[in-house]
Amino acid sequence: MPNIAVCSGSFDPVTLGHLDIIKRGAKVFDEVIVVVAKNQSKSPLFSVEERLGLLQEVTGELPNVRIDSFSGLLIDYVKSVGASVILRGLRAVSDFEYEMQIASINKKLNEEVETFFMMTNNQYSFLSSSIVKEAAKYHASVEGLVPPAVQDALKQKFSSPF
């Protein structure tokens, strides 16, 4: 059986930190399915379709990475695609506490699924989609924080000259 990992998030927008985890995960697992969570409680900058398109563009060179979206419980999605692993990136100790809670409830809901934590590259330890959006909103350069395609999309969203 192939070893399939699911890497979920809002990816609003996808950052170089996200991409680092996805690329490294693609070296460890036979297939990585990157899924955009449709979270009704958030007001995203990019639509689900835009986020899927950006993810498709920035992961296109990775043959064992697939892009998808879902709503509902992640553990149900994982089961539906035959995956056995949830891949999560950790930036700092503060991430661990939240991720530990999520991993614990997922284990309770399906003990056959493992959560695989991967530490982010140190150069991205401060990086989040929220920080990127805030910088772009005020027309600060986001070069080196997001892939070029995302930089262009942010320029369009904020009609920015950066």
Side-chain angles (χ1 to χ4, degrees), residues 15-22 24 88-93 95 117-128:
T15 68
L16 291 178
H18 292 130
L19 201 50
D20 175 57
I21 297 295
I22 294 165
R24 289 169 47 214
R88 300 296 296 166
L90 294 175
R91 294 172 294 192
V93 174
D95 285 348
F117 294 109
M118 188 176 279
M119 294 304 300
T120 191
N121 185 313
N122 283 342
Q123 72 188 42
Y124 305 124
S125 62
F126 68 93
L127 189 55
S128 71

Side-chain angles (χ1 to χ4, degrees), residues 77-97:
Y77 177 85
V78 169
K79 184 178 179 182
S80 76
V81 295
S84 59
V85 173
I86 296 171
L87 174 61
R88 300 296 296 166
L90 294 175
R91 294 172 294 192
V93 174
S94 56
D95 285 348
F96 182 77
E97 188 173 340

